[in-house]
Amino acid sequence: MAGNDETFHLLAVVGAGLALLALVWLLVLSLRVRRLRRDQVTVLGDHGTDDLVAHAAALSRLVTLETAEWRTASARLAERMGGIEGALLNVFSRHGLVRYDAYGEQSGQQSCSLALLDVRGDGFVMTSIHHRDQARLYIRRISRGKPEHRLAPEEEDALAHALRTGAITADGTIDGVAAEPREGVDEA
């Protein structure tokens, strides 16, 4: 029976060793699961009950929805921008002003010619001739930078100045000067 006792002792020692090994392995796995849970909380937040695959699927659905909304808004903005760009073609973005004494008097250059043109060169030249007791106003149409009627020299100067300046470029600058808000004017 002594052989049996030794076998039982040997089996008990091997069983205890295996139990200890299983306990150590359980402790290692417990630490790994704890680290994994901490990492999952970092990604999902404290209230994340889904696993990472479900979280990734939810994020993918959200990105798909947001992308669809962004594309819709982008299409609307592109359509509106086309209308705005078309409207800008009709805005008087070029101007030229010449002040002078029409009758050669010393009246402080009260007469003037003002040319207002859009990007294509369409618009008008308005001339105001002032004399002591009267004032006259003349308006001449300009089409593609060319007047419909013959212009006075001062009107020609105003038109030439307007044609040289004021073109709106693609980045929104006029004459190389970026748009800046004026004092007292709210930015929209």
Side-chain angles (χ1 to χ4, degrees):
M1 282 245 231
N4 281 341
D5 281 345
E6 256 183 55
T7 305
F8 287 127
H9 284 289
L10 185 63
L11 283 177
V13 169
V14 169
L18 286 177
L20 184 62
L21 188 63
L23 187 61
V24 169
W25 184 244
L26 181 65
L27 185 61
V28 167
L29 288 179
S30 175
L31 289 174
R32 284 186 180 178
V33 168
R34 183 178 293 169
R35 270 192 239 129
L36 181 65
R37 178 65 184 146
R38 186 183 64 224
D39 292 343
Q40 185 175 352
V41 166
T42 302
V43 172
L44 300 175
D46 289 332
H47 303 293
T49 56
D50 294 338
D51 61 0
L52 290 177
V53 174
H55 182 66
L59 286 177
S60 177
R61 283 190 301 275
L62 183 63
V63 166
T64 301
L65 288 173
E66 294 294 329
T67 301
E69 285 182 29
W70 175 83
R71 286 190 176 150
T72 302
S74 178
R76 274 195 323 263
L77 289 174
E79 182 180 327
R80 289 187 68 195
M81 194 62 173
I84 290 169
E85 288 171 348
L88 277 177
L89 293 176
N90 298 321
V91 170
F92 291 137
S93 62
R94 299 172 172 218
H95 62 279
L97 177 69
V98 175
R99 296 179 62 94
Y100 53 95
D101 287 323
Y103 296 106
E105 344 175 301
Q106 298 294 328
S107 62
Q109 296 185 336
Q110 294 298 311
S111 298
C112 64
S113 293
L114 172 67
L116 294 175
L117 306 173
D118 63 13
V119 175
R120 295 177 298 240
D122 294 340
F124 61 88
V125 174
M126 181 171 52
T127 298
S128 174
I129 308 253
H130 289 272
H131 191 39
R132 283 188 188 149
D133 53 351
Q134 65 178 341
R136 294 187 180 190
L137 187 65
Y138 302 94
I139 298 177
R140 295 190 171 56
R141 185 179 304 231
I142 307 297
S143 180
R144 305 283 185 218
K146 304 286 183 211
E148 288 182 351
H149 302 287
R150 204 167 124 233
L151 299 177
E154 295 83 7
E155 293 171 324
E156 289 280 350
D157 289 346
L159 177 60
H161 182 71
L163 288 172
R164 283 192 312 267
T165 63
I168 299 174
T169 60
D171 63 357
T173 61
I174 299 175
D175 288 337
V177 178
E180 292 182 20
R182 294 176 294 166
E183 284 188 38
V185 177
D186 291 335
E187 291 185 57

